[in-house]
Amino acid sequence: MDDLSKSSMKFFSDQQLCFADILLPHEVQARIQVAVLNFLKILSSPDPAISDLPLINRKSSNSRVSEGILTDVSWIFLSHSFCSRSLMKANATKAFIRVWKVMEMCFEFLTQEKRVTQRELFYKLLCDSPHYFSSQLQVNRTIQELCAKDVVALLRCSRHSLGIMASSKGLVAGHILLQEPNQEVVDCSACGSSGYAISGDLNLLESLIMKTDARYIVVVEKHAIFQRLAEDHVFNQIPSILLTAKGYPDIATRFLLHRMSRAFPDLPILALVDWNPAGLAILSTYKFGSIGMGLEAYRYACNVKWLGLRGDDLQLIPQQSLAPLKPRDLQIARSLISSTTLRDNYRQELAVMMQSGQRAEIEALYFNGYDYLGKYLAKKIVQANYI
Amino acid sequence: MAKSMKLAGLKSVENAHDESVWTATWVPATGSRPPLLLTGSLDETVKVWRPDELDLVRTNTGHCLGVVSVAAHPSGVIAASAALDSFVRVFDVDTNATIATLESPPSEVWQMQFDPKGTTLAVAGGGSASIKLWDTATWRLVATLSIPRPEGSKPSEKSGSKKFVLSVAWSPDGRRLACGSMDGTISVFDVARAKFLHHLEGLYMPVRSLVFSPEHDSRKLYSASDDGHVHIHDVEGKAIIGAMSGHTGWVLSVDVSPDGEAIATGSSDKTVRLWDFKMRAAIQVMSNHTDQVWAVAFRPGGRGDRLASVSDDKSISLYHCS
């Protein structure tokens, strides 16, 4: 009971520093039960006010903390105003009901100690409550309402705590041996160009036994580049581990990278991304966590350094491989610039990008020959040319 | 004068499969994708086709024997395929990810249909003389609706008296399930109480396909039988309302258009016939197939303007209805 009250007290802390907790199944179940009890309490009160129900309007400026049913512990309901209109529309009521349906289903999974992916959860909800669920997007949004929507979330626990497995796009290759408990050891340098697929199950990733003789970890933005580097066995020329999330990194890939950085603290982590705001955004996500994407993502930040492509590398590629920045690039750039976590030298690179109005992809290096990429990588690493 | 429907051939794919095509069903549209056609074949594959060009979207392998039935969930997201190896595979239509594999004893899996809400999958149980009901959220077998033994027969009698269940159909309101057997019996069950209600008598040859008329509280059931006729039954009153003749071979499949106006059948006489219920006669005969037509299926959804047919001749055909 002590732990429960302590964890509940945390919700009271500074609203600016909100994060989603990693909880044990019975703790999450307890939160679900309290959510239901609170809802019933509101419904059965003499003056049931819809405006006291959360989940509907989500502006941090409107959030307040309300008393929970456990008198010595304050609960995490952040109540919202301007709700009386929303429940009038059929869509809003369905969205409201969806939250309870998802909680119900997750409660069952927690009891069975089962883990599911968001897709599997969708199949079950589709068949169990066909009237309320018809698309994956609805399920994803509902989970966000429960776990991680700005400063407002009903249960305020991580998706992982709810029993929802991430699906992962990540791959690993190179000088590292991975072993799942009671399974065979996988040598990632012998996995071919496809590498070792990173599981979405964080528990499994937590239990992986890792051994390495590498000197560097190279995080690659794009799958094609990862494949090329793996095929060319670049990790043999310079003993290294290659990792990619095939674009914007998912939780599982970041989790594994974080584990690697703690297990092998002497290995510099170097990022190879395209020279455009999206590349820098990807790098920043590995570095700091998701910018503005929710409460959970701060957790697996790593000290990743920017190897390339950078402004200095532009002299290595032909003029014609530079392309104009798209409106989306500018949008990303603006949000990066406004972020307080961006370092000065990164800010400078971003400024050059925006000023030139151009972008370049890593593939542009192939202009100098298909094996140039490996040489480029080796040279930069040896010269410690990363920021 | 009532509007008369007409079929016009749109597209055919020869050698759609490597062997006879035995089953077909439409997958309803989802928010992100229009309706698709699923076909299953003796060649052990299930293929996904995009109308109207009948472009092959995907070939699903994995079954160990011929595919006897394919069924689609009303949401259009998932579908199921059943094979002679008595495995039912449930999969995501767009990604082909396997969602569940349902096992049954040999020869106890035949035709299948999802209920109109999508919460239950009914599987005609072949030699088990029953319909098996699987819950679609948990994929557990939640009920077995058994056809009771005929009165007076002893349990020790040969299982020749046990019915071999080939076909199954849900009523549109989900309250009734009908199944057709090799000996011509059609059995009707009350779903909510999981109880056998009664048999529909009058047929003595295999009933391979059943479909209810589409109005919500429908009591009208169409049956396709090896006796060459399509019968229309009142499932509550147990009477035969009518019969439609014309095929010169077994009627292997029957389907009704979403607006209830027209019925289509496929037969071992190699033809597809379009019938007008009110006139109780075939108003059109399509003879493009060169072998038995195993399945016909109207595309669901308001307009019901497409009909697909599949055949022993390995081809699939798509027709426009107007």
Side-chain angles (χ1 to χ4, degrees):
Chain A
M1 195 58 196
D2 257 3
D3 291 325
L4 209 59
S5 59
K6 274 194 208 135
S7 81
S8 298
M9 280 309 291
K10 266 202 221 158
F11 289 107
F12 248 140
S13 59
D14 190 356
Q15 299 301 336
Q16 301 306 321
L17 228 83
C18 295
F19 49 82
D21 295 316
I22 292 184
L23 301 167
L24 295 170
H26 70 270
E27 290 172 323
V28 181
Q29 286 184 309
R31 285 194 187 178
I32 292 176
Q33 286 166 325
V34 175
V36 173
L37 287 170
N38 263 329
F39 182 46
L40 290 174
K41 184 182 170 211
I42 292 168
L43 277 184
S44 59
S45 68
D47 222 350
I50 295 177
S51 59
D52 281 343
L53 291 170
L55 313 173
I56 300 168
N57 193 353
R58 296 171 240 98
K59 284 190 191 163
S60 52
S61 51
N62 297 332
S63 48
R64 302 189 305 275
V65 177
S66 59
E67 293 299 311
I69 219 172
L70 306 169
T71 49
D72 57 341
V73 174
S74 299
W75 185 234
I76 25 70
F77 264 66
L78 300 180
S79 49
H80 314 258
S81 46
F82 323 130
C83 296
S84 45
R85 279 172 292 165
S86 350
L87 267 188
M88 290 302 136
K89 292 191 223 149
N91 283 344
T93 47
K94 277 200 184 175
F96 187 68
I97 291 169
R98 279 199 280 270
V99 176
W100 297 100
K101 288 264 171 203
V102 171
M103 276 203 282
E104 177 187 26
M105 189 140 294
C106 288
F107 192 92
E108 251 185 68
F109 287 135
L110 290 167
T111 310
Q112 298 165 12
E113 293 188 19
K114 262 180 79 165
R115 307 205 135 268
V116 286
T117 60
Q118 276 185 204
R119 187 69 178 167
E120 283 167 358
L121 191 61
F122 169 49
Y123 295 142
K124 295 205 181 295
L125 290 165
L126 178 75
C127 294
D128 180 81
S129 315
H131 188 56
Y132 296 106
F133 292 94
S134 59
S135 77
Q136 179 74 55
L137 195 60
Q138 287 169 337
V139 177
N140 296 351
R141 283 202 182 128
T142 309
I143 293 170
Q144 279 221 294
E145 302 231 20
L146 287 171
C147 299
K149 187 80 181 168
D150 305 323
V151 294
V152 170
L154 180 53
L155 295 176
R156 241 0 152 79
C157 63
S158 63
R159 266 182 193 73
H160 176 71
S161 302
L162 260 185
I164 297 172
M165 274 198 298
S167 51
S168 173
K169 303 172 293 167
L171 303 169
V172 181
H175 276 231
I176 184 168
L177 301 172
L178 296 171
Q179 186 184 12
E180 293 171 34
N182 301 324
Q183 301 285 336
E184 295 199 0
V185 177
V186 175
D187 180 1
C188 296
S189 61
C191 286
S193 63
S194 50
Y196 167 88
I198 300 175
S199 158
D201 183 349
L202 297 189
N203 279 345
L204 190 142
L205 293 179
E206 177 79 50
S207 65
L208 271 183
I209 302 165
M210 306 188 291
K211 295 198 185 90
T212 185
D213 61 353
R215 297 302 190 80
Y216 305 91
I217 301 175
V218 180
V219 176
V220 183
E221 172 184 351
K222 297 196 298 208
H223 189 198
I225 303 294
F226 174 90
Q227 281 182 313
R228 167 105 257 144
L229 292 172
E231 253 174 50
D232 293 348
H233 294 279
V234 148
F235 41 73
N236 287 336
Q237 297 164 30
I238 299 205
S240 51
I241 303 169
L242 296 176
L243 182 119
T244 183
K246 301 186 204 163
Y248 206 75
D250 53 86
I251 287 275
T253 309
R254 292 180 49 221
F255 180 84
L256 188 62
L257 182 65
H258 184 73
R259 266 208 77 205
M260 281 187 205
S261 71
R262 298 249 297 282
F264 315 122
D266 296 331
L267 266 53
I269 306 175
L270 314 169
L272 182 60
V273 298
D274 286 342
W275 193 69
N276 60 23
L280 181 54
I282 287 172
L283 166 58
S284 299
T285 306
Y286 281 108
K287 234 177 137 64
F288 306 115
S290 261
I291 305 168
M293 255 221 30
L295 311 182
E296 315 184 51
Y298 84 103
R299 203 181 293 275
Y300 308 119
C302 302
N303 187 7
V304 180
K305 303 201 175 32
W306 191 355
L307 183 89
L309 286 175
R310 300 207 313 274
D312 296 342
D313 300 325
L314 293 183
Q315 54 184 315
L316 304 169
I317 60 177
Q319 190 62 18
Q320 58 259 41
S321 54
L322 293 170
L325 286 176
K326 297 195 249 208
R328 176 99 184 101
D329 292 319
L330 296 171
Q331 222 178 340
I332 298 174
R334 273 193 289 273
S335 84
L336 279 171
I337 286 192
S338 62
S339 130
T340 47
T341 45
L342 205 61
R343 298 161 53 180
D344 283 341
N345 43 9
Y346 286 23
R347 211 175 273 278
Q348 207 169 6
E349 290 273 345
L350 189 59
V352 172
M353 266 184 226
M354 294 186 65
Q355 208 159 26
S356 70
Q358 289 175 317
R359 46 184 276 166
E361 300 194 341
I362 304 169
E363 282 89 337
L365 290 171
Y366 291 148
F367 172 76
N368 302 310
Y370 278 113
D371 57 349
Y372 187 74
L373 181 60
K375 292 192 195 134
Y376 162 85
L377 204 62
K379 188 161 167 208
K380 282 212 124 172
I381 289 177
V382 160
Q383 291 175 341
N385 187 347
Y386 36 85
I387 56 175
Chain B
M1 194 168 87
K3 170 182 80 113
S4 186
M5 268 202 152
K6 214 168 92 78
L7 287 176
L10 256 186
K11 183 91 205 264
S12 275
V13 179
E14 307 287 317
N15 297 314
H17 280 271
D18 297 333
E19 296 285 349
S20 306
V21 190
W22 281 346
T23 178
T25 194
W26 287 90
V27 180
T30 64
S32 51
R33 183 256 296 143
L36 297 171
L37 182 68
L38 278 186
T39 57
S41 161
L42 173 59
D43 72 3
E44 302 165 20
T45 68
V46 170
K47 294 197 180 188
V48 187
W49 310 87
R50 186 177 301 119
D52 289 330
E53 283 305 305
L54 292 182
D55 296 320
L56 177 64
V57 174
R58 183 180 290 107
T59 302
N60 301 348
T61 56
H63 281 294
C64 297
L65 288 175
V67 178
V68 291
S69 179
V70 283
H73 188 272
S75 69
V77 176
I78 64 182
S81 57
L84 288 171
D85 61 1
S86 62
F87 275 87
V88 175
R89 178 178 175 251
V90 185
F91 56 96
D92 178 317
V93 175
D94 294 321
T95 66
N96 197 26
T98 300
I99 296 168
T101 308
L102 314 175
E103 273 189 60
S104 296
S107 80
E108 294 194 6
V109 167
W110 221 259
Q111 273 184 26
M112 318 179 278
Q113 196 185 7
F114 283 90
D115 80 299
K117 287 213 186 68
T119 53
T120 314
L121 177 65
V123 181
S128 69
S130 66
I131 305 175
K132 307 229 173 95
L133 296 182
W134 299 82
D135 173 77
T136 56
T138 58
W139 293 111
R140 283 200 300 258
L141 182 67
V142 290
T144 303
L145 304 176
S146 297
I147 301 176
R149 285 184 177 284
E151 279 182 19
S153 75
K154 307 181 201 94
S156 57
E157 272 185 29
K158 272 173 53 176
S159 58
S161 62
K162 245 174 109 182
K163 300 182 189 295
F164 193 96
V165 181
L166 294 167
S167 51
V168 72
W170 287 90
S171 66
D173 61 8
R175 293 176 57 235
R176 297 284 182 260
L177 259 178
C179 66
S181 306
M182 288 274 316
D183 69 353
T185 325
I186 300 173
S187 313
V188 183
F189 294 85
D190 175 325
V191 178
R193 285 151 53 212
K195 252 182 69 130
F196 166 78
L197 281 178
H198 46 247
H199 291 309
L200 302 179
E201 309 282 353
L203 299 177
Y204 301 101
M205 294 188 69
V207 175
R208 296 185 192 266
S209 179
L210 294 169
V211 66
F212 275 83
S213 66
E215 61 273 10
H216 181 72
D217 51 356
S218 166
R219 295 159 46 140
K220 204 157 65 182
L221 178 70
Y222 298 99
S223 67
S225 168
D226 283 6
D227 66 6
H229 305 298
V230 177
H231 285 95
I232 308 146
H233 311 259
D234 172 356
V235 295
E236 302 299 325
K238 305 197 259 178
I240 292 184
I241 305 174
M244 302 194 291
S245 313
H247 276 300
T248 56
W250 301 352
V251 187
L252 300 171
S253 172
V254 62
D255 196 16
V256 63
S257 63
D259 60 5
E261 295 291 315
I263 295 129
T265 52
S267 164
S268 63
D269 67 8
K270 310 178 197 167
T271 65
V272 170
R273 277 172 209 242
L274 188 68
W275 310 78
D276 183 311
F277 166 64
K278 296 195 186 75
M279 292 180 357
R280 305 284 169 89
I283 49 181
Q284 198 170 358
V285 180
M286 308 295 284
S287 311
N288 52 298
H289 283 295
T290 56
D291 210 332
Q292 307 188 113
V293 179
W294 278 104
V296 290
F298 277 98
R299 184 164 72 182
R303 283 152 61 214
D305 54 355
R306 293 285 183 272
L307 178 73
S309 67
V310 298
S311 163
D312 257 350
D313 67 7
K314 310 177 196 169
S315 76
I316 62 183
S317 292
L318 186 65
Y319 313 88
H320 173 71
C321 307
S322 50

